[in-house]
Amino acid sequence: MRKLLLFSAMAVAAGLAPAATAAASVQAGPTAQQLLAKTAGCKQVSNGKYKTDEETGRTIAVCDAGSAVFWKADMDVDCDGQPTARCNKNTDPWFQGGTAYPRSDGKALVADETPYIVVPSISSTWNFEKAGLKGAGSCAVIYNDKVLYTVIGDTGPKNIIGEASYATAKALGINPDPKNGGVDSGVTYICFKNSKVSPIENHGKATSVGESLAAKFVRG
């Protein structure tokens, strides 16, 4: 990518390409600060709050933000899906070979390849489907001023929130080890209503769809 951008800049300087072409090549979605500004307040839509871990209290609310819902929590690492060298029964004592939402070929997602997040299973606390979310839905995950566009790929415990795949953690600079990785706080999850990434496993598509929805979200 760096070589491509350098070539574009040289082409502009040499008069071989218009400046607008170079600008388009570096366009991206909103910054972390722009997205976080839209999550400054919380209009709670969950009926109560969630735990970040089994042993913690219920402190995390799900909030409505117009075209999206969001929550601010920790990140536990999910290795569920097709077994790999990094994600299997030996590396993850809680490993399960399936994901709630499969790839386009019908097989489970690959946790160390596909950036996905986990939403709590439907309960009296919150029904993510009634909130406009669904499998393969588009989400932005923010940590340490980094923005990563992901998909909803799995469901988890009914009382816990704040979990994402090995690939999500790694891309955000979080220790992805399923046993002792993750981070205790500082992660914001923004999921866009009535959205879908197809195919679910295509991260390039997840990024382009997410950037477009995030731009609309920031403008709204």
Side-chain angles (χ1 to χ4, degrees):
M1 177 60 76
R2 183 177 180 275
K3 291 181 179 178
L4 176 62
L5 296 180
L6 181 60
F7 174 79
S8 297
M10 291 172 64
V12 170
L16 300 176
T21 300
S25 67
V26 297
Q27 280 184 338
T31 64
Q33 291 82 0
Q34 288 174 313
L35 288 166
L36 291 174
K38 300 289 288 186
T39 68
C42 178
K43 179 182 177 183
Q44 185 170 328
V45 291
S46 55
N47 181 28
K49 297 182 178 181
Y50 285 96
K51 299 178 178 183
T52 55
D53 295 291
E54 195 60 53
E55 65 273 14
T56 62
R58 290 179 175 266
T59 59
I60 309 300
V62 179
C63 312
D64 185 79
S67 62
V69 297
F70 69 90
W71 55 94
K72 300 181 180 184
D74 66 340
M75 182 181 288
D76 296 323
V77 177
D78 186 359
C79 246
D80 292 348
Q82 295 185 51
T84 67
R86 298 186 186 94
C87 291
N88 55 65
K89 292 181 179 179
N90 294 322
T91 62
D92 180 5
W94 306 279
F95 178 79
Q96 296 183 30
T99 51
Y101 305 105
R103 302 191 316 178
S104 55
D105 61 6
K107 297 179 181 179
L109 294 171
V110 181
D112 61 5
E113 291 182 3
T114 301
Y116 69 76
I117 74 158
V118 181
V119 293
S121 295
I122 293 171
S123 71
S124 59
T125 303
W126 184 51
N127 184 328
F128 67 89
E129 291 182 344
K130 288 185 177 179
L133 307 187
K134 56 187 175 183
S138 173
C139 301
V141 185
I142 305 164
Y143 179 72
N144 271 0
D145 288 330
K146 293 182 180 179
V147 181
L148 180 71
Y149 293 99
T150 69
V151 292
I152 296 174
D154 205 0
T155 57
K158 293 181 178 181
N159 61 338
I160 295 176
I161 203 167
E163 187 176 7
S165 69
Y166 184 110
T168 301
K170 184 177 181 181
L172 289 170
I174 295 170
N175 181 356
D177 188 283
K179 286 183 180 178
N180 54 35
V183 67
D184 289 336
S185 62
V187 185
T188 299
Y189 302 79
I190 302 172
C191 290
F192 305 106
K193 298 176 182 178
N194 304 311
S195 64
K196 185 175 183 179
V197 174
S198 182
I200 187 174
E201 69 272 15
N202 188 322
H203 183 55
K205 190 64 178 292
T207 299
S208 62
V209 169
E211 286 178 345
S212 176
L213 293 169
K216 294 177 182 178
F217 174 64
V218 167
R219 292 195 302 266

mmCIF file of all heavy atoms in Angstrom, residues 51-98:
data_model
loop_
_atom_site.group_PDB
_atom_site.id
_atom_site.type_symbol
_atom_site.label_atom_id
_atom_site.label_comp_id
_atom_site.label_asym_id
_atom_site.label_seq_id
_atom_site.Cartn_x
_atom_site.Cartn_y
_atom_site.Cartn_z
ATOM 1 N N LYS A 51 -22.353 -8.125 32.557
ATOM 2 C CA LYS A 51 -21.053 -8.334 33.171
ATOM 3 C C LYS A 51 -20.000 -8.345 32.058
ATOM 4 O O LYS A 51 -20.307 -8.671 30.913
ATOM 5 C CB LYS A 51 -20.995 -9.683 33.897
ATOM 6 C CG LYS A 51 -21.988 -9.861 35.031
ATOM 7 C CD LYS A 51 -21.842 -11.273 35.619
ATOM 8 C CE LYS A 51 -22.788 -11.496 36.786
ATOM 9 N NZ LYS A 51 -22.576 -12.851 37.381
ATOM 10 N N THR A 52 -18.748 -8.019 32.414
ATOM 11 C CA THR A 52 -17.653 -8.198 31.455
ATOM 12 C C THR A 52 -17.047 -9.593 31.596
ATOM 13 O O THR A 52 -16.500 -10.135 30.645
ATOM 14 C CB THR A 52 -16.557 -7.142 31.657
ATOM 15 O OG1 THR A 52 -16.106 -7.187 33.022
ATOM 16 C CG2 THR A 52 -17.082 -5.747 31.351
ATOM 17 N N ASP A 53 -17.152 -10.153 32.790
ATOM 18 C CA ASP A 53 -16.679 -11.513 33.061
ATOM 19 C C ASP A 53 -17.616 -12.131 34.085
ATOM 20 O O ASP A 53 -18.356 -11.427 34.784
ATOM 21 C CB ASP A 53 -15.242 -11.508 33.599
ATOM 22 C CG ASP A 53 -14.255 -10.995 32.568
ATOM 23 O OD1 ASP A 53 -14.032 -11.697 31.566
ATOM 24 O OD2 ASP A 53 -13.715 -9.892 32.771
ATOM 25 N N GLU A 54 -17.571 -13.434 34.224
ATOM 26 C CA GLU A 54 -18.488 -14.139 35.111
ATOM 27 C C GLU A 54 -18.404 -13.638 36.545
ATOM 28 O O GLU A 54 -19.409 -13.568 37.259
ATOM 29 C CB GLU A 54 -18.215 -15.644 35.064
ATOM 30 C CG GLU A 54 -19.327 -16.489 35.660
ATOM 31 C CD GLU A 54 -20.660 -16.314 34.955
ATOM 32 O OE1 GLU A 54 -20.708 -16.456 33.729
ATOM 33 O OE2 GLU A 54 -21.658 -16.014 35.652
ATOM 34 N N GLU A 55 -17.189 -13.268 36.980
ATOM 35 C CA GLU A 55 -16.994 -12.896 38.377
ATOM 36 C C GLU A 55 -17.213 -11.408 38.663
ATOM 37 O O GLU A 55 -17.114 -10.970 39.814
ATOM 38 C CB GLU A 55 -15.581 -13.280 38.823
ATOM 39 C CG GLU A 55 -14.451 -12.537 38.125
ATOM 40 C CD GLU A 55 -14.018 -13.194 36.823
ATOM 41 O OE1 GLU A 55 -14.758 -14.058 36.318
ATOM 42 O OE2 GLU A 55 -12.955 -12.813 36.304
ATOM 43 N N THR A 56 -17.526 -10.600 37.631
ATOM 44 C CA THR A 56 -17.700 -9.161 37.845
ATOM 45 C C THR A 56 -19.169 -8.798 37.997
ATOM 46 O O THR A 56 -20.066 -9.603 37.709
ATOM 47 C CB THR A 56 -17.112 -8.367 36.663
ATOM 48 O OG1 THR A 56 -17.818 -8.715 35.468
ATOM 49 C CG2 THR A 56 -15.638 -8.678 36.486
ATOM 50 N N GLY A 57 -19.421 -7.571 38.418
ATOM 51 C CA GLY A 57 -20.791 -7.087 38.554
ATOM 52 C C GLY A 57 -21.352 -6.629 37.218
ATOM 53 O O GLY A 57 -20.633 -6.543 36.208
ATOM 54 N N ARG A 58 -22.635 -6.329 37.219
ATOM 55 C CA ARG A 58 -23.292 -5.871 35.986
ATOM 56 C C ARG A 58 -23.107 -4.357 35.852
ATOM 57 O O ARG A 58 -23.767 -3.582 36.534
ATOM 58 C CB ARG A 58 -24.783 -6.230 36.016
ATOM 59 C CG ARG A 58 -25.050 -7.730 35.892
ATOM 60 C CD ARG A 58 -26.534 -8.032 35.941
ATOM 61 N NE ARG A 58 -26.825 -9.434 35.711
ATOM 62 C CZ ARG A 58 -27.118 -9.972 34.526
ATOM 63 N NH1 ARG A 58 -27.150 -9.204 33.449
ATOM 64 N NH2 ARG A 58 -27.383 -11.262 34.408
ATOM 65 N N THR A 59 -22.210 -3.962 34.963
ATOM 66 C CA THR A 59 -21.854 -2.542 34.830
ATOM 67 C C THR A 59 -21.955 -2.000 33.403
ATOM 68 O O THR A 59 -21.813 -0.792 33.194
ATOM 69 C CB THR A 59 -20.411 -2.315 35.312
ATOM 70 O OG1 THR A 59 -19.514 -3.122 34.521
ATOM 71 C CG2 THR A 59 -20.250 -2.688 36.782
ATOM 72 N N ILE A 60 -22.205 -2.853 32.420
ATOM 73 C CA ILE A 60 -22.143 -2.430 31.018
ATOM 74 C C ILE A 60 -23.542 -2.359 30.396
ATOM 75 O O ILE A 60 -24.254 -3.359 30.322
ATOM 76 C CB ILE A 60 -21.272 -3.389 30.176
ATOM 77 C CG1 ILE A 60 -19.913 -3.600 30.844
ATOM 78 C CG2 ILE A 60 -21.122 -2.834 28.764
ATOM 79 C CD1 ILE A 60 -19.090 -2.353 31.032
ATOM 80 N N ALA A 61 -23.900 -1.163 29.953
ATOM 81 C CA ALA A 61 -25.186 -0.954 29.288
ATOM 82 C C ALA A 61 -25.017 -0.968 27.780
ATOM 83 O O ALA A 61 -23.958 -0.618 27.252
ATOM 84 C CB ALA A 61 -25.775 0.388 29.715
ATOM 85 N N VAL A 62 -26.064 -1.378 27.078
ATOM 86 C CA VAL A 62 -26.117 -1.232 25.622
ATOM 87 C C VAL A 62 -26.886 0.050 25.339
ATOM 88 O O VAL A 62 -27.964 0.285 25.898
ATOM 89 C CB VAL A 62 -26.804 -2.431 24.949
ATOM 90 C CG1 VAL A 62 -26.868 -2.225 23.433
ATOM 91 C CG2 VAL A 62 -26.067 -3.726 25.269
ATOM 92 N N CYS A 63 -26.325 0.892 24.481
ATOM 93 C CA CYS A 63 -26.872 2.230 24.254
ATOM 94 C C CYS A 63 -27.322 2.414 22.807
ATOM 95 O O CYS A 63 -26.699 1.876 21.883
ATOM 96 C CB CYS A 63 -25.806 3.285 24.578
ATOM 97 S SG CYS A 63 -24.972 3.037 26.166
ATOM 98 N N ASP A 64 -28.376 3.184 22.622
ATOM 99 C CA ASP A 64 -28.861 3.494 21.276
ATOM 100 C C ASP A 64 -28.223 4.793 20.793
ATOM 101 O O ASP A 64 -28.056 5.735 21.570
ATOM 102 C CB ASP A 64 -30.378 3.636 21.281
ATOM 103 C CG ASP A 64 -30.926 3.833 19.879
ATOM 104 O OD1 ASP A 64 -31.039 2.837 19.150
ATOM 105 O OD2 ASP A 64 -31.227 4.988 19.501
ATOM 106 N N ALA A 65 -27.878 4.826 19.508
ATOM 107 C CA ALA A 65 -27.277 6.037 18.931
ATOM 108 C C ALA A 65 -27.814 6.260 17.526
ATOM 109 O O ALA A 65 -27.056 6.459 16.577
ATOM 110 C CB ALA A 65 -25.764 5.934 18.927
ATOM 111 N N GLY A 66 -29.122 6.203 17.374
ATOM 112 C CA GLY A 66 -29.726 6.446 16.064
ATOM 113 C C GLY A 66 -29.566 5.273 15.128
ATOM 114 O O GLY A 66 -30.275 4.269 15.230
ATOM 115 N N SER A 67 -28.623 5.351 14.210
ATOM 116 C CA SER A 67 -28.430 4.293 13.221
ATOM 117 C C SER A 67 -27.557 3.160 13.729
ATOM 118 O O SER A 67 -27.240 2.225 12.980
ATOM 119 C CB SER A 67 -27.811 4.873 11.947
ATOM 120 O OG SER A 67 -26.530 5.415 12.219
ATOM 121 N N ALA A 68 -27.167 3.224 14.994
ATOM 122 C CA ALA A 68 -26.291 2.193 15.562
ATOM 123 C C ALA A 68 -26.601 2.003 17.038
ATOM 124 O O ALA A 68 -27.300 2.809 17.665
ATOM 125 C CB ALA A 68 -24.818 2.590 15.390
ATOM 126 N N VAL A 69 -26.088 0.924 17.589
ATOM 127 C CA VAL A 69 -26.070 0.727 19.037
ATOM 128 C C VAL A 69 -24.618 0.523 19.435
ATOM 129 O O VAL A 69 -23.785 0.121 18.609
ATOM 130 C CB VAL A 69 -26.926 -0.477 19.493
ATOM 131 C CG1 VAL A 69 -28.391 -0.267 19.158
ATOM 132 C CG2 VAL A 69 -26.418 -1.774 18.880
ATOM 133 N N PHE A 70 -24.293 0.817 20.695
ATOM 134 C CA PHE A 70 -22.910 0.662 21.115
ATOM 135 C C PHE A 70 -22.823 0.264 22.575
ATOM 136 O O PHE A 70 -23.767 0.415 23.355
ATOM 137 C CB PHE A 70 -22.117 1.959 20.870
ATOM 138 C CG PHE A 70 -22.501 3.109 21.767
ATOM 139 C CD1 PHE A 70 -21.876 3.305 22.998
ATOM 140 C CD2 PHE A 70 -23.486 4.019 21.390
ATOM 141 C CE1 PHE A 70 -22.223 4.361 23.825
ATOM 142 C CE2 PHE A 70 -23.846 5.089 22.209
ATOM 143 C CZ PHE A 70 -23.210 5.254 23.432
ATOM 144 N N TRP A 71 -21.661 -0.257 22.935
ATOM 145 C CA TRP A 71 -21.351 -0.545 24.330
ATOM 146 C C TRP A 71 -19.856 -0.370 24.538
ATOM 147 O O TRP A 71 -19.065 -0.478 23.602
ATOM 148 C CB TRP A 71 -21.821 -1.935 24.749
ATOM 149 C CG TRP A 71 -21.328 -3.081 23.922
ATOM 150 C CD1 TRP A 71 -20.231 -3.869 24.132
ATOM 151 C CD2 TRP A 71 -21.949 -3.607 22.736
ATOM 152 N NE1 TRP A 71 -20.131 -4.849 23.172
ATOM 153 C CE2 TRP A 71 -21.155 -4.711 22.295
ATOM 154 C CE3 TRP A 71 -23.090 -3.255 21.998
ATOM 155 C CZ2 TRP A 71 -21.477 -5.450 21.158
ATOM 156 C CZ3 TRP A 71 -23.399 -3.989 20.862
ATOM 157 C CH2 TRP A 71 -22.603 -5.072 20.462
ATOM 158 N N LYS A 72 -19.477 -0.049 25.742
ATOM 159 C CA LYS A 72 -18.070 0.164 26.098
ATOM 160 C C LYS A 72 -17.705 -0.866 27.152
ATOM 161 O O LYS A 72 -18.288 -0.882 28.231
ATOM 162 C CB LYS A 72 -17.854 1.589 26.602
ATOM 163 C CG LYS A 72 -18.229 2.637 25.556
ATOM 164 C CD LYS A 72 -17.985 4.052 26.039
ATOM 165 C CE LYS A 72 -18.361 5.058 24.963
ATOM 166 N NZ LYS A 72 -18.034 6.455 25.364
ATOM 167 N N ALA A 73 -16.751 -1.713 26.838
ATOM 168 C CA ALA A 73 -16.490 -2.865 27.696
ATOM 169 C C ALA A 73 -15.017 -3.282 27.622
ATOM 170 O O ALA A 73 -14.147 -2.498 27.234
ATOM 171 C CB ALA A 73 -17.397 -4.030 27.268
ATOM 172 N N ASP A 74 -14.783 -4.516 27.988
ATOM 173 C CA ASP A 74 -13.461 -5.126 27.867
ATOM 174 C C ASP A 74 -13.399 -5.885 26.546
ATOM 175 O O ASP A 74 -14.292 -5.760 25.712
ATOM 176 C CB ASP A 74 -13.214 -6.073 29.049
ATOM 177 C CG ASP A 74 -14.168 -7.282 29.031
ATOM 178 O OD1 ASP A 74 -15.242 -7.215 28.357
ATOM 179 O OD2 ASP A 74 -13.852 -8.297 29.674
ATOM 180 N N MET A 75 -12.369 -6.679 26.359
ATOM 181 C CA MET A 75 -12.356 -7.612 25.243
ATOM 182 C C MET A 75 -11.799 -8.946 25.703
ATOM 183 O O MET A 75 -10.631 -9.050 26.084
ATOM 184 C CB MET A 75 -11.539 -7.116 24.056
ATOM 185 C CG MET A 75 -11.592 -8.105 22.868
ATOM 186 S SD MET A 75 -10.616 -7.617 21.418
ATOM 187 C CE MET A 75 -11.611 -6.257 20.807
ATOM 188 N N ASP A 76 -12.655 -9.960 25.709
ATOM 189 C CA ASP A 76 -12.226 -11.339 25.878
ATOM 190 C C ASP A 76 -11.998 -11.906 24.476
ATOM 191 O O ASP A 76 -12.658 -11.490 23.511
ATOM 192 C CB ASP A 76 -13.285 -12.157 26.606
ATOM 193 C CG ASP A 76 -13.521 -11.658 28.031
ATOM 194 O OD1 ASP A 76 -12.541 -11.261 28.676
ATOM 195 O OD2 ASP A 76 -14.686 -11.654 28.480
ATOM 196 N N VAL A 77 -11.089 -12.847 24.357
ATOM 197 C CA VAL A 77 -10.730 -13.381 23.046
ATOM 198 C C VAL A 77 -11.508 -14.658 22.752
ATOM 199 O O VAL A 77 -11.461 -15.624 23.521
ATOM 200 C CB VAL A 77 -9.218 -13.654 22.960
ATOM 201 C CG1 VAL A 77 -8.858 -14.275 21.612
ATOM 202 C CG2 VAL A 77 -8.431 -12.358 23.175
ATOM 203 N N ASP A 78 -12.222 -14.648 21.632
ATOM 204 C CA ASP A 78 -12.990 -15.800 21.175
ATOM 205 C C ASP A 78 -12.190 -16.529 20.096
ATOM 206 O O ASP A 78 -11.790 -15.927 19.106
ATOM 207 C CB ASP A 78 -14.333 -15.324 20.615
ATOM 208 C CG ASP A 78 -15.261 -16.469 20.253
ATOM 209 O OD1 ASP A 78 -14.855 -17.635 20.418
ATOM 210 O OD2 ASP A 78 -16.389 -16.202 19.810
ATOM 211 N N CYS A 79 -11.943 -17.806 20.312
ATOM 212 C CA CYS A 79 -11.221 -18.626 19.329
ATOM 213 C C CYS A 79 -12.143 -19.635 18.661
ATOM 214 O O CYS A 79 -11.679 -20.534 17.952
ATOM 215 C CB CYS A 79 -10.060 -19.355 20.009
ATOM 216 S SG CYS A 79 -8.430 -18.815 19.419
ATOM 217 N N ASP A 80 -13.451 -19.522 18.884
ATOM 218 C CA ASP A 80 -14.385 -20.503 18.337
ATOM 219 C C ASP A 80 -14.407 -20.465 16.811
ATOM 220 O O ASP A 80 -14.202 -19.429 16.182
ATOM 221 C CB ASP A 80 -15.793 -20.253 18.872
ATOM 222 C CG ASP A 80 -15.910 -20.540 20.357
ATOM 223 O OD1 ASP A 80 -14.972 -21.146 20.912
ATOM 224 O OD2 ASP A 80 -16.926 -20.154 20.956
ATOM 225 N N GLY A 81 -14.714 -21.618 16.231
ATOM 226 C CA GLY A 81 -14.784 -21.740 14.785
ATOM 227 C C GLY A 81 -13.956 -22.917 14.308
ATOM 228 O O GLY A 81 -13.683 -23.853 15.061
ATOM 229 N N GLN A 82 -13.534 -22.856 13.074
ATOM 230 C CA GLN A 82 -12.709 -23.939 12.544
ATOM 231 C C GLN A 82 -11.380 -23.998 13.301
ATOM 232 O O GLN A 82 -10.749 -22.970 13.530
ATOM 233 C CB GLN A 82 -12.450 -23.712 11.060
ATOM 234 C CG GLN A 82 -13.687 -23.770 10.187
ATOM 235 C CD GLN A 82 -13.345 -23.667 8.719
ATOM 236 O OE1 GLN A 82 -12.482 -24.398 8.212
ATOM 237 N NE2 GLN A 82 -14.027 -22.770 8.012
ATOM 238 N N PRO A 83 -10.958 -25.186 13.710
ATOM 239 C CA PRO A 83 -9.701 -25.293 14.447
ATOM 240 C C PRO A 83 -8.494 -24.956 13.580
ATOM 241 O O PRO A 83 -8.436 -25.318 12.406
ATOM 242 C CB PRO A 83 -9.672 -26.758 14.901
ATOM 243 C CG PRO A 83 -10.580 -27.470 13.949
ATOM 244 C CD PRO A 83 -11.639 -26.492 13.570
ATOM 245 N N THR A 84 -7.542 -24.240 14.175
ATOM 246 C CA THR A 84 -6.293 -23.875 13.503
ATOM 247 C C THR A 84 -5.161 -24.089 14.503
ATOM 248 O O THR A 84 -5.390 -24.482 15.654
ATOM 249 C CB THR A 84 -6.300 -22.404 13.060
ATOM 250 O OG1 THR A 84 -6.304 -21.559 14.220
ATOM 251 C CG2 THR A 84 -7.515 -22.082 12.192
ATOM 252 N N ALA A 85 -3.945 -23.784 14.091
ATOM 253 C CA ALA A 85 -2.809 -23.927 14.998
ATOM 254 C C ALA A 85 -2.929 -22.997 16.200
ATOM 255 O O ALA A 85 -2.451 -23.305 17.286
ATOM 256 C CB ALA A 85 -1.504 -23.648 14.245
ATOM 257 N N ARG A 86 -3.590 -21.855 16.020
ATOM 258 C CA ARG A 86 -3.734 -20.883 17.108
ATOM 259 C C ARG A 86 -5.017 -21.090 17.912
ATOM 260 O O ARG A 86 -5.066 -20.715 19.089
ATOM 261 C CB ARG A 86 -3.721 -19.459 16.554
ATOM 262 C CG ARG A 86 -2.438 -19.059 15.836
ATOM 263 C CD ARG A 86 -2.498 -17.591 15.464
ATOM 264 N NE ARG A 86 -1.355 -17.176 14.659
ATOM 265 C CZ ARG A 86 -1.330 -17.135 13.338
ATOM 266 N NH1 ARG A 86 -2.410 -17.529 12.654
ATOM 267 N NH2 ARG A 86 -0.267 -16.735 12.677
ATOM 268 N N CYS A 87 -6.024 -21.611 17.288
ATOM 269 C CA CYS A 87 -7.332 -21.768 17.936
ATOM 270 C C CYS A 87 -7.779 -23.228 17.872
ATOM 271 O O CYS A 87 -8.202 -23.723 16.816
ATOM 272 C CB CYS A 87 -8.372 -20.878 17.251
ATOM 273 S SG CYS A 87 -8.114 -19.108 17.507
ATOM 274 N N ASN A 88 -7.684 -23.904 19.002
ATOM 275 C CA ASN A 88 -8.092 -25.302 19.078
ATOM 276 C C ASN A 88 -8.298 -25.672 20.547
ATOM 277 O O ASN A 88 -8.133 -24.826 21.435
ATOM 278 C CB ASN A 88 -7.049 -26.204 18.418
ATOM 279 C CG ASN A 88 -5.663 -26.011 19.003
ATOM 280 O OD1 ASN A 88 -5.429 -26.306 20.172
ATOM 281 N ND2 ASN A 88 -4.721 -25.508 18.191
ATOM 282 N N LYS A 89 -8.630 -26.916 20.813
ATOM 283 C CA LYS A 89 -8.923 -27.350 22.184
ATOM 284 C C LYS A 89 -7.702 -27.282 23.094
ATOM 285 O O LYS A 89 -7.839 -27.205 24.324
ATOM 286 C CB LYS A 89 -9.494 -28.766 22.170
ATOM 287 C CG LYS A 89 -10.873 -28.857 21.539
ATOM 288 C CD LYS A 89 -11.416 -30.279 21.573
ATOM 289 C CE LYS A 89 -12.811 -30.352 20.965
ATOM 290 N NZ LYS A 89 -13.355 -31.742 20.974
ATOM 291 N N ASN A 90 -6.504 -27.323 22.520
ATOM 292 C CA ASN A 90 -5.302 -27.246 23.336
ATOM 293 C C ASN A 90 -4.929 -25.808 23.703
ATOM 294 O O ASN A 90 -4.453 -25.542 24.795
ATOM 295 C CB ASN A 90 -4.117 -27.908 22.596
ATOM 296 C CG ASN A 90 -4.317 -29.396 22.418
ATOM 297 O OD1 ASN A 90 -4.837 -30.066 23.300
ATOM 298 N ND2 ASN A 90 -3.910 -29.912 21.272
ATOM 299 N N THR A 91 -5.152 -24.895 22.772
ATOM 300 C CA THR A 91 -4.807 -23.497 23.041
ATOM 301 C C THR A 91 -5.907 -22.769 23.797
ATOM 302 O O THR A 91 -5.644 -21.779 24.478
ATOM 303 C CB THR A 91 -4.536 -22.739 21.727
ATOM 304 O OG1 THR A 91 -5.729 -22.747 20.923
ATOM 305 C CG2 THR A 91 -3.402 -23.383 20.950
ATOM 306 N N ASP A 92 -7.143 -23.258 23.674
ATOM 307 C CA ASP A 92 -8.302 -22.587 24.287
ATOM 308 C C ASP A 92 -9.164 -23.612 25.016
ATOM 309 O O ASP A 92 -9.847 -24.418 24.390
ATOM 310 C CB ASP A 92 -9.123 -21.902 23.186
ATOM 311 C CG ASP A 92 -10.347 -21.180 23.728
ATOM 312 O OD1 ASP A 92 -10.520 -21.122 24.961
ATOM 313 O OD2 ASP A 92 -11.130 -20.668 22.907
ATOM 314 N N PRO A 93 -9.170 -23.567 26.348
ATOM 315 C CA PRO A 93 -9.957 -24.543 27.113
ATOM 316 C C PRO A 93 -11.460 -24.414 26.905
ATOM 317 O O PRO A 93 -12.209 -25.335 27.227
ATOM 318 C CB PRO A 93 -9.561 -24.257 28.561
ATOM 319 C CG PRO A 93 -9.009 -22.876 28.558
ATOM 320 C CD PRO A 93 -8.386 -22.673 27.217
ATOM 321 N N TRP A 94 -11.908 -23.279 26.365
ATOM 322 C CA TRP A 94 -13.345 -23.055 26.128
ATOM 323 C C TRP A 94 -13.694 -23.198 24.648
ATOM 324 O O TRP A 94 -14.780 -22.821 24.218
ATOM 325 C CB TRP A 94 -13.746 -21.662 26.610
ATOM 326 C CG TRP A 94 -13.363 -21.416 28.030
ATOM 327 C CD1 TRP A 94 -14.033 -21.815 29.162
ATOM 328 C CD2 TRP A 94 -12.192 -20.729 28.490
ATOM 329 N NE1 TRP A 94 -13.360 -21.424 30.284
ATOM 330 C CE2 TRP A 94 -12.214 -20.762 29.911
ATOM 331 C CE3 TRP A 94 -11.118 -20.105 27.864
ATOM 332 C CZ2 TRP A 94 -11.220 -20.179 30.694
ATOM 333 C CZ3 TRP A 94 -10.117 -19.528 28.633
ATOM 334 C CH2 TRP A 94 -10.177 -19.570 30.022
ATOM 335 N N PHE A 95 -12.787 -23.752 23.879
ATOM 336 C CA PHE A 95 -12.945 -23.820 22.421
ATOM 337 C C PHE A 95 -14.189 -24.597 22.000
ATOM 338 O O PHE A 95 -14.495 -25.659 22.542
ATOM 339 C CB PHE A 95 -11.712 -24.471 21.795
ATOM 340 C CG PHE A 95 -11.808 -24.624 20.300
ATOM 341 C CD1 PHE A 95 -11.577 -23.552 19.461
ATOM 342 C CD2 PHE A 95 -12.140 -25.854 19.731
ATOM 343 C CE1 PHE A 95 -11.669 -23.695 18.087
ATOM 344 C CE2 PHE A 95 -12.234 -26.005 18.360
ATOM 345 C CZ PHE A 95 -11.994 -24.917 17.531
ATOM 346 N N GLN A 96 -14.902 -24.037 21.011
ATOM 347 C CA GLN A 96 -16.011 -24.729 20.363
ATOM 348 C C GLN A 96 -15.790 -24.654 18.854
ATOM 349 O O GLN A 96 -15.361 -23.618 18.334
ATOM 350 C CB GLN A 96 -17.342 -24.086 20.729
ATOM 351 C CG GLN A 96 -17.680 -24.189 22.214
ATOM 352 C CD GLN A 96 -19.042 -23.603 22.538
ATOM 353 O OE1 GLN A 96 -19.948 -23.611 21.714
ATOM 354 N NE2 GLN A 96 -19.184 -23.105 23.758
ATOM 355 N N GLY A 97 -16.096 -25.722 18.175
ATOM 356 C CA GLY A 97 -15.798 -25.807 16.751
ATOM 357 C C GLY A 97 -16.765 -25.106 15.826
ATOM 358 O O GLY A 97 -16.606 -25.160 14.607
ATOM 359 N N GLY A 98 -17.780 -24.459 16.373
ATOM 360 C CA GLY A 98 -18.753 -23.778 15.529
ATOM 361 C C GLY A 98 -18.907 -22.316 15.891
ATOM 362 O O GLY A 98 -18.471 -21.879 16.958
#
